Amino acid sequence: MASSGRPTVRDIARHAGVSVATVSRVTRDDPKVAPATRERVQQSIDALGYTPSALGLSLAYQRHHTLGIVLPGLGGPYFAELVQGVESVAVAAGIAVNVLGTHFRPDAAQAVTQLAQRTDALVVQGGTVDQALLAEIAQSMPVVLVAGTSDHLATVRTDGHAGSREVTSHLVEVHGHRRLRFLGAPDGSPDPTARYHGFRAALEDHGLTEAGAPLRFGFEAKYGAIAARELDAEGDLPDALVCANDELAFGVLATLPGLGRSIPGEMAIVGFDDNSLAGLASPTLTTVHQPTFELGATAARIALEPTRDGAAPAVPLPPDDRVLETRTVIRESCGCAV
Amino acid sequence: MASSGRPTVRDIARHAGVSVATVSRVTRDDPKVAPATRERVQQSIDALGYTPSALGLSLAYQRHHTLGIVLPGLGGPYFAELVQGVESVAVAAGIAVNVLGTHFRPDAAQAVTQLAQRTDALVVQGGTVDQALLAEIAQSMPVVLVAGTSDHLATVRTDGHAGSREVTSHLVEVHGHRRLRFLGAPDGSPDPTARYHGFRAALEDHGLTEAGAPLRFGFEAKYGAIAARELDAEGDLPDALVCANDELAFGVLATLPGLGRSIPGEMAIVGFDDNSLAGLASPTLTTVHQPTFELGATAARIALEPTRDGAAPAVPLPPDDRVLETRTVIRESCGCAV
DNA sequence: CCGGTGGATGTAACCGGTTACATCTGCCAC
DNA sequence: GTGGCAGATGTAACCGGTTACATCCACCGG
């Protein structure tokens, strides 16, 4: 039945009049094949259009040559850039990337468990998966947590607390703002939480303890727009708005001026991430730069390290905590002229 | 060596004192097992923490229980929503989704070929993969092209030409604009191309043949911002700007007003897609609604259809062309008061 | 008492690769 | 002429599941 479906090693072996071992040697460029035989096998391979099955290879090598990455969802430039960072490393190592979005999936835990079965290592965005589950998975394969902290896992993150504290201090010290609010839900994911705490720390540094409650919203641009409309409807705006990420800030930026409220005239605004849009919108966005691409690339490097030389037994990763630098980028939206 | 690594069927069989066939019957809920035996096997399974290997299952069933989706990249709400549509169908069918971003990958063709090996069906966004390659893959597995046309493939799309023509006509007929420009590179992907041609058709309908060249930019918000700065620098704005998607429109919206140019006062603007942000920004965005989620869901349904009952031999899909409805949504940014 | 029946279980082949080890060949040195 | 060796190739087991078919056994009716 060589006719149905894709040809297999045994089809090639029969066609070329050799054994499967020899065919395998040819496909793997094993030098222990006589030139004439190699030539004959190669012709059969070309004639039948043979490609080794990924499934068979995975089974034999006990390796999938695939890296899994778990995110809440695919929306927004942060995740897009993170994934690109991961891919840049994986692709260079000849490893495929498998992206899983957990947002809106009730069966996230199960989906991650399945993903773990189809991959050699996992890169997980903080706040997407229960840490107990992750710790268990991490016992049998490399798992790297991005933008989160853990006693048991390898982590890669930036210091959101310090960055947020610094940019908030700028608003208070340089521009003299005193009524500041935070936009973004400071619970759930570790990143927004750290940023909120940095914001609070800066306020306390300056004796501003009466800060209003954070505006609890999701992290996509549309929530920035919704928040902007609410703020406008409330009447008086705060002096400055510290957003959990740039996306939210753009949502505000695309809404408030249209409602007749000037930025930064009536209200200053700062973001977090330093998106590609941050330096281009008007006013340009004051924000905290974080190396998102590098975050993904570093996580991928750590995750793939134990898998590197073919033979390694995919040992679990030791706990570790790598912190990448952030940098405050002052532009126009805080009120600074340029 | 039952101690190292995950337990297999044979480990369970030994532990429970039965054959592998019986273990397999228990895991598959085959009724042909005596209750007492089933109980004993189940205890061994629980004791050793056994889960059938996805790899073994795939090999035996010749099926991956995985659907692949190919996109240019993960940026922007359009793709996020498309993926969610695909996932909604796949997850309900107990099928995993594997997302591949081809953007910035020099080896896109190879990556897609690999993906095809690890999945049962493919959903491909138009303009990401060479059609000849797709046609070849489609001979051995179901492939659905989203937002593209083809003589040889099953396709699902919306009529971007008609939608774009309609919204452009609105700008001309209702608001009397005569100097219109199109934002977005009208080559490469089929979607922007169709929208550009619809735009041109509307102009010709009204005898406006002197339209300027399209502003050739990518399709992310940042390019909207760049275009806005260029337009502002040029001096006089067109009467109206027709954007290839909402993202671009928001880039413009987050930039031009800050440069002192009012929208829609000095220039009207319309988008395409009807993002979640479209009704929230200010001015609210006039745009063409397209059922993005449904686009993904429909594509997934078609792709998975031949795979549905376990036994089917994954027959290639017959060529087909399904067109989903679009609807023009008039809001404020075209100049209409609300 | 014996043959037939059907339910429970085991054996072994198969899915598509890799690879340890065995075998076969030709050549060389003694 | 023969033993040893090395290089080329084949055989068969293995990775982790499923499943056609064989086997075993208890029970039944004649």
Side-chain angles (χ1 to χ4, degrees):
Chain A
M1 289 296 143
S3 66
S4 85
R6 280 173 38 183
T8 73
V9 239
R10 300 174 222 264
D11 293 327
I12 302 299
R14 200 174 319 127
H15 189 268
V18 297
S19 73
V20 290
T22 301
V23 175
S24 176
R25 290 188 187 104
V26 170
T27 61
R28 287 175 300 113
D29 281 329
D30 189 315
K32 294 187 297 195
V33 181
T37 310
R38 151 161 291 134
E39 174 64 19
R40 187 154 40 93
V41 171
Q42 188 59 52
Q43 279 177 6
S44 295
I45 289 178
D46 295 341
L48 301 189
Y50 167 72
T51 331
S53 141
L55 221 49
L57 291 169
S58 295
L59 194 58
Y61 286 128
Q62 295 290 78
R63 191 145 294 161
H64 304 264
H65 299 287
T66 300
L67 172 68
I69 170 167
V70 182
L71 308 170
L74 275 7
Y78 169 81
F79 295 121
E81 208 174 322
L82 191 69
V83 170
Q84 272 179 40
V86 169
E87 280 185 333
S88 71
V89 171
V91 169
I95 288 185
V97 175
N98 200 326
V99 182
L100 173 69
T102 60
H103 207 18
F104 300 126
R105 290 185 70 147
D107 61 336
Q110 198 201 330
V112 171
T113 307
Q114 278 182 21
L115 180 67
Q117 297 219 358
R118 290 181 285 120
T119 53
D120 301 323
L122 242 39
V123 170
V124 182
Q125 168 78 10
T128 52
V129 184
D130 177 50
Q131 287 230 2
L133 173 61
L134 276 191
E136 186 180 325
I137 295 176
Q139 288 180 349
S140 59
M141 70 194 290
V143 174
V144 177
L145 187 63
V146 173
T149 54
S150 163
D151 292 338
H152 310 296
L153 300 171
T155 57
V156 182
R157 59 193 177 94
T158 55
D159 190 346
H161 188 279
S164 180
R165 188 176 193 167
E166 185 172 311
V167 74
T168 304
S169 291
H170 173 85
L171 290 168
V172 176
E173 293 174 3
V174 176
H175 299 285
H177 296 316
R178 305 192 65 78
R179 291 167 46 249
L180 289 83
R181 296 200 69 179
F182 184 85
L183 174 55
D187 17 50
S189 303
D191 249 352
T193 308
R195 293 171 195 175
Y196 176 63
H197 287 143
F199 166 78
R200 292 301 303 253
L203 294 191
E204 279 160 26
D205 289 347
H206 298 86
L208 302 172
T209 49
E210 77 289 2
L215 296 159
R216 295 176 182 278
F217 283 102
F219 303 100
E220 298 151 45
K222 76 170 194 182
Y223 293 109
I226 294 173
R229 288 185 178 272
E230 275 193 17
L231 281 174
D232 178 58
E234 278 178 13
D236 62 332
L237 301 175
D239 295 342
L241 191 63
V242 176
C243 301
N245 68 15
D246 285 359
E247 284 284 277
L248 279 169
F250 289 124
V252 174
L253 221 56
T255 308
L256 266 189
L259 300 174
R261 311 287 208 138
S262 91
I263 294 179
E266 291 186 55
M267 181 184 79
I269 190 169
V270 300
F272 205 110
D273 281 351
D274 197 20
N275 272 359
S276 63
L277 190 51
L280 293 166
S282 176
T284 54
L285 191 63
T286 292
T287 188
V288 179
H289 177 87
Q290 83 170 330
T292 311
F293 184 96
E294 206 47 53
L295 216 48
T298 305
R301 261 191 293 270
I302 297 175
L304 294 178
E305 179 61 27
T307 316
R308 254 195 5 185
D309 348 312
V315 142
L317 239 37
D320 182 25
D321 184 38
R322 204 158 311 184
V323 178
L324 270 48
E325 291 283 302
T326 65
R327 173 171 43 87
T328 302
V329 182
I330 304 297
R331 296 203 182 92
E332 299 169 354
S333 70
C334 58
C336 284
V338 171
Chain B
M1 290 300 143
S3 67
S4 86
R6 279 175 37 183
T8 74
V9 238
R10 300 175 223 265
D11 293 326
I12 302 297
R14 200 174 319 129
H15 188 268
V18 298
S19 74
V20 290
T22 301
V23 175
S24 177
R25 290 189 187 106
V26 171
T27 62
R28 286 174 300 111
D29 281 327
D30 189 316
K32 296 187 295 195
V33 182
T37 310
R38 153 160 290 133
E39 174 66 16
R40 189 152 40 96
V41 171
Q42 189 59 52
Q43 280 177 5
S44 295
I45 289 178
D46 294 341
L48 301 189
Y50 168 73
T51 331
S53 140
L55 221 51
L57 291 169
S58 295
L59 193 57
Y61 285 128
Q62 295 291 79
R63 192 144 294 160
H64 304 265
H65 299 286
T66 300
L67 172 69
I69 170 166
V70 182
L71 308 169
L74 275 5
Y78 169 81
F79 295 121
E81 207 174 325
L82 190 70
V83 170
Q84 272 179 40
V86 169
E87 280 186 335
S88 71
V89 171
V91 169
I95 288 184
V97 175
N98 202 327
V99 181
L100 174 68
T102 60
H103 206 18
F104 300 127
R105 290 185 67 147
D107 62 338
Q110 198 201 331
V112 172
T113 307
Q114 279 183 20
L115 181 67
Q117 296 220 357
R118 290 181 285 121
T119 52
D120 302 322
L122 243 38
V123 170
V124 182
Q125 168 77 12
T128 53
V129 184
D130 177 49
Q131 288 230 2
L133 173 60
L134 276 192
E136 185 179 327
I137 295 177
Q139 287 181 349
S140 59
M141 71 193 289
V143 174
V144 177
L145 187 63
V146 173
T149 54
S150 164
D151 292 337
H152 311 295
L153 300 171
T155 56
V156 182
R157 60 192 178 94
T158 55
D159 189 346
H161 188 278
S164 180
R165 188 176 192 166
E166 185 173 312
V167 74
T168 304
S169 292
H170 173 84
L171 290 168
V172 176
E173 293 174 4
V174 176
H175 299 284
H177 296 314
R178 304 192 66 79
R179 292 167 45 248
L180 289 83
R181 296 199 71 178
F182 184 85
L183 173 55
D187 17 50
S189 303
D191 249 350
T193 308
R195 294 171 195 176
Y196 176 64
H197 288 142
F199 165 80
R200 292 300 304 254
L203 294 191
E204 279 159 27
D205 290 345
H206 297 86
L208 302 172
T209 48
E210 77 289 0
L215 296 158
R216 296 177 182 276
F217 284 102
F219 304 101
E220 297 152 46
K222 76 170 193 181
Y223 294 108
I226 295 174
R229 288 184 177 273
E230 276 194 15
L231 282 173
D232 176 59
E234 280 177 12
D236 63 333
L237 301 176
D239 295 342
L241 191 64
V242 175
C243 302
N245 68 14
D246 285 358
E247 283 283 278
L248 279 170
F250 289 125
V252 175
L253 221 55
T255 309
L256 264 190
L259 299 174
R261 309 287 209 140
S262 92
I263 294 178
E266 290 187 56
M267 180 184 81
I269 189 170
V270 300
F272 205 110
D273 282 350
D274 197 20
N275 272 359
S276 63
L277 191 50
L280 293 165
S282 176
T284 54
L285 190 65
T286 291
T287 187
V288 179
H289 177 88
Q290 84 170 329
T292 312
F293 183 97
E294 205 48 51
L295 216 50
T298 305
R301 262 190 294 271
I302 297 174
L304 294 178
E305 179 61 27
T307 315
R308 253 196 5 188
D309 348 311
V315 141
L317 240 37
D320 181 25
D321 185 38
R322 204 158 311 183
V323 179
L324 270 45
E325 290 285 301
T326 65
R327 171 171 45 86
T328 302
V329 181
I330 304 297
R331 295 204 183 91
E332 300 168 354
S333 70
C334 57
C336 283
V338 171

